[in-house]
Amino acid sequence: MFFKKIKTMFRYNKELDVIDYNFYRSIDILQNLTNNELTKINDIFIHKSYKKGETIFKENHPNALMYIIKSGRVRLHVNLPYEEITISDLEAKKHFGEIGIFLESNRISSAYALDNAELIAINKTEFIQFVKNQPGTGIKLLYNLGKAISNDLLHVFSVIKQHETK
Amino acid sequence: MKQNNKVLKFSYYILLFAAIGFGTFFYKNVMVHFILSLLFVFLVNPLVNSIEQLGVPRTLAVLIFYLIFFFSLFMLGTVLMPVLVRQIKSFAQIYINFINQENPDVATLPYLANLQTIINNIQNLFPFIDFESIRDGFFEKSNDLLSRIPDMLLAYSGNVFRIFGYLFAVPILGFFILKDKVFLKKKIYSFIPNKYFEISVIIIDKIKGTIGIYLRALFIECSIVGIMAMIVLTALGVPFGIFIGFFAGVTNVIPYLGPLMGILLGGLTVILTGGSTTLLLWTILGMWGVQLIDNAFVYPLVMGKNTNIHPVLVILSIVAGGISFGLIGMLLAVPTVFLVTVILTLLYKSLKQFEFI
């Protein structure tokens, strides 16, 4: 595995980066993007692989990247003095860490890989630059992100309601 | 088996770092080429991006940029360079003629000969002060200084010939970096260990922003100052106006001292070529006006709040650069110190934020 990584590092082969358009479109925030648009936004995607249990980011660290899960599972959690509270376990095609794209805030939770996970990292500055340069695609992306965040909000409200009726 | 793999990995990293260390040491020139082409890419990348945004594929955008780049270099070379070279040549000739006189004496210059009559008048008013010896001491010192200026300016400029080598190599290297920027970036980022991934993204982003903006702003500011000085001097009829303007533009990189050097060269030229006192005053006023416009409008507009190194550090670095590498050292001192301080403060801040230290 380790030497394979070194080999691929020095191999000048762009075919390694073939884009699976249909898989990309099945991701929430990339739905309804055309092939052309996906090729363009693929330029700002950084592919990273994490081993089981490996930390992705920690609470209170600067927030400059959001992630999309290609495969595997990721756990978001908050560390309190005596316990660890799980916020959610995310599966493939979900995204996390998007707050940093909109706010200058630090990480509000920590994340680690539950299984071996393949992630797509998106750099905040490059994302904002992309939205500025490609406003058409940018509107779709921002709309999808807004939709996803609204869904999360609805979910949080329903959890609170359930909690209160108990 | 697992233990074995770890040892293998560890020794691999040690070997890798040793190789990089020795490589950097033995191939300093190669590293300089690489760093210079990175700087070149920083400078021109926004231009390539803006061509790419017109809907042109990346490679074609880079090619179009290079066409424009070399065309403007060629135009500059055919229009400005001959004038500049001719002016430098005749300026050097006048200077050399002056130094090579039987007995080089600044007192024989037409402008200073006028001064002599004024001194004589003052001498008559105050007979008890020995103006003669003061004047002789002053002239002796300035003769000495004048003959030493070429040495001071030309120290280490044997490297100028190497610059022509860079002029060819850097754009070619830069071409491939520009063309495959996305590919290289993805490869490098995916190879960085996960633990250091986020911090390196943040550091690289910030360095890219600050350095790119700084270098572009510096280039634009100096070009504007140089062109303004050329126009003003040519309009005033100062001999070698293009050369002095070029010199003023280049030395404008040096804060505080650079503008003074431009004014001095302008004044010196007027004195050496026997210009009138009015022309001398107008030259100094004109160059000063150019600096005024630069400080009031150009600098705040292009630089903004980008540079905030303390003046003490600025002056000390200019002095250090001047002592060890002559004029070239003075030119490069402040940008180098700026880049190093930016990178170091950023590294420290980010390492602290990510709790590595």
Side-chain angles (χ1 to χ4, degrees):
Chain A
M1 178 62 206
F2 175 66
F3 284 105
K4 203 177 164 191
K5 206 175 171 186
I6 295 167
K7 254 191 197 166
T8 54
M9 168 82 185
F10 293 107
R11 195 188 298 157
Y12 188 85
N13 186 358
K14 288 193 174 176
E15 283 171 17
L16 284 173
D17 204 30
V18 178
I19 307 167
D20 185 353
Y21 293 109
N22 288 329
F23 173 76
Y24 272 7
R25 261 193 291 273
S26 67
I27 296 168
D28 275 355
I29 61 166
L30 298 179
Q31 54 176 295
N32 65 41
L33 262 68
T34 62
N35 284 5
N36 212 349
E37 290 170 331
L38 284 172
T39 317
K40 271 180 193 151
I41 198 169
N42 186 53
D43 281 355
I44 67 167
F45 287 171
I46 303 161
H47 300 270
K48 298 290 287 181
S49 49
Y50 289 80
K51 288 201 185 97
K52 186 176 176 179
E54 203 174 352
T55 310
I56 299 164
F57 55 73
K58 282 185 189 156
E59 211 177 323
N60 293 328
H61 283 185
N63 188 350
L65 290 145
M66 74 171 279
Y67 295 89
I68 299 168
I69 307 172
K70 247 160 68 182
S71 65
R73 289 185 307 147
V74 169
R75 170 166 290 176
L76 299 181
H77 65 96
V78 180
N79 284 324
L80 293 180
Y82 297 108
E83 57 178 335
E84 181 191 299
I85 298 176
T86 303
I87 297 175
S88 60
D89 289 345
L90 299 171
E91 289 171 353
K93 298 177 189 178
K94 292 285 174 201
H95 59 95
F96 58 98
E98 71 275 12
I99 292 175
I101 289 195
F102 302 104
L103 298 176
E104 283 290 339
S105 73
N106 287 347
R107 298 279 187 200
I108 54 168
S109 64
S110 306
Y112 66 86
L114 278 176
D115 312 322
N116 287 346
E118 296 279 327
L119 303 182
I120 297 169
I122 301 172
N123 183 349
K124 172 190 182 171
T125 33
E126 287 188 349
F127 182 83
I128 292 170
Q129 199 59 46
F130 180 84
V131 171
K132 272 183 194 161
N133 293 346
Q134 315 276 342
T137 322
I139 287 171
K140 285 185 188 173
L141 280 170
L142 289 177
Y143 185 78
N144 288 342
L145 261 173
K147 223 155 115 184
I149 293 170
S150 308
N151 274 332
D152 289 349
L153 253 176
L154 279 182
H155 177 70
V156 170
F157 272 126
S158 69
V159 170
I160 291 173
K161 259 184 196 164
Q162 268 177 17
H163 195 75
E164 279 183 349
T165 46
K166 263 178 200 174
Chain B
M1 186 60 204
K2 208 169 187 186
Q3 192 62 35
N4 198 9
N5 201 9
K6 232 177 194 171
V7 172
L8 210 64
K9 207 168 163 174
F10 186 65
S11 45
Y12 170 78
Y13 276 123
I14 284 184
L15 273 174
L16 187 73
F17 279 120
I20 290 174
F22 278 115
T24 328
F25 182 72
F26 285 115
Y27 294 99
K28 274 176 284 195
N29 273 331
V30 181
M31 288 311 286
V32 170
H33 274 93
F34 183 62
I35 290 168
L36 280 180
S37 40
L38 276 186
L39 285 179
F40 176 76
V41 169
F42 273 143
L43 269 174
V44 303
N45 190 40
L47 289 170
V48 177
N49 282 351
S50 53
I51 297 173
E52 198 187 357
Q53 269 165 46
L54 301 174
V56 188
R58 179 92 188 167
T59 316
L60 196 65
V62 176
L63 276 174
I64 291 173
F65 164 75
Y66 265 78
L67 271 180
I68 299 171
F69 179 70
F70 280 118
F71 180 71
S72 39
L73 263 191
F74 177 74
M75 287 306 284
L76 223 69
T78 47
V79 176
L80 196 63
M81 267 300 153
V83 184
L84 193 63
V85 169
R86 208 186 315 133
Q87 292 202 350
I88 290 177
K89 250 186 189 164
S90 42
F91 180 79
Q93 201 54 51
I94 287 177
Y95 193 88
I96 288 165
N97 285 346
F98 177 72
I99 298 287
N100 285 352
Q101 274 171 14
E102 266 312 275
N103 196 3
D105 191 358
V106 275
T108 59
L109 288 170
Y111 178 73
L112 290 176
N114 290 339
L115 204 68
Q116 185 64 37
T117 53
I118 302 171
I119 289 176
N120 285 342
N121 290 340
I122 299 172
Q123 180 74 70
N124 293 338
L125 281 173
F126 306 98
F128 45 87
I129 303 172
D130 189 8
F131 273 109
E132 283 288 311
S133 63
I134 294 176
R135 194 207 61 187
D136 287 347
F138 172 73
F139 281 163
E140 210 169 285
K141 285 251 169 64
S142 34
N143 281 334
D144 189 38
L145 186 71
L146 270 178
S147 58
R148 274 215 326 253
I149 282 179
D151 286 345
M152 279 155 65
L153 288 185
L154 293 178
Y156 291 91
S157 35
N159 293 338
V160 164
F161 290 104
R162 206 180 284 162
I163 290 173
F164 285 102
Y166 289 135
L167 271 182
F168 281 104
V170 166
I172 293 171
L173 271 172
F175 175 80
F176 290 105
I177 297 177
L178 276 171
K179 186 173 82 72
D180 288 327
K181 210 187 101 213
V182 170
F183 176 77
L184 290 171
K185 183 195 75 189
K186 282 185 163 196
K187 276 285 167 200
I188 290 167
Y189 274 145
S190 62
F191 194 66
I192 291 174
N194 292 339
K195 199 178 162 191
Y196 305 107
F197 172 56
E198 291 214 332
I199 186 172
S200 42
V201 168
I202 288 179
I203 289 174
I204 290 173
D205 262 11
K206 291 214 172 126
I207 288 179
K208 242 161 60 177
T210 328
I211 291 180
I213 291 171
Y214 173 72
L215 289 178
R216 272 190 295 280
L218 198 65
F219 180 73
I220 292 170
E221 192 215 344
C222 290
S223 314
I224 292 176
V225 167
I227 291 167
M228 280 199 301
M230 281 178 198
I231 293 171
V232 166
L233 291 174
T234 319
L236 282 173
V238 176
F240 317 119
I242 303 285
F243 164 59
I244 299 167
F246 182 79
F247 182 81
V250 172
T251 52
N252 198 54
V253 174
I254 311 170
Y256 311 118
L257 207 63
L260 209 68
M261 287 164 91
I263 294 174
L264 272 180
L265 184 73
L268 194 71
T269 316
V270 173
I271 293 175
L272 277 176
T273 51
S276 62
T277 319
T278 7
L279 185 60
L280 179 69
L281 277 178
W282 275 114
T283 310
I284 291 171
L285 268 180
M287 296 291 274
W288 186 58
V290 167
Q291 281 307 318
L292 220 59
I293 293 172
D294 174 42
N295 287 336
F297 303 110
V298 182
Y299 187 85
L301 202 71
V302 292
M303 278 291 189
K305 288 172 188 163
N306 227 305
T307 50
N308 35 21
I309 328 175
H310 197 270
V312 172
L313 187 59
V314 170
I315 293 167
L316 283 180
S317 49
I318 295 170
V319 170
I323 288 172
S324 30
F325 300 110
L327 185 70
I328 292 179
M330 284 163 101
L331 285 177
L332 295 179
V334 173
T336 314
V337 167
F338 175 76
L339 299 189
V340 170
T341 40
V342 162
I343 290 171
L344 284 184
T345 42
L346 253 175
L347 263 179
Y348 178 74
K349 231 168 107 186
S350 307
L351 284 172
K352 198 124 214 186
Q353 279 176 331
F354 278 92
E355 294 168 305
F356 283 114
I357 48 172

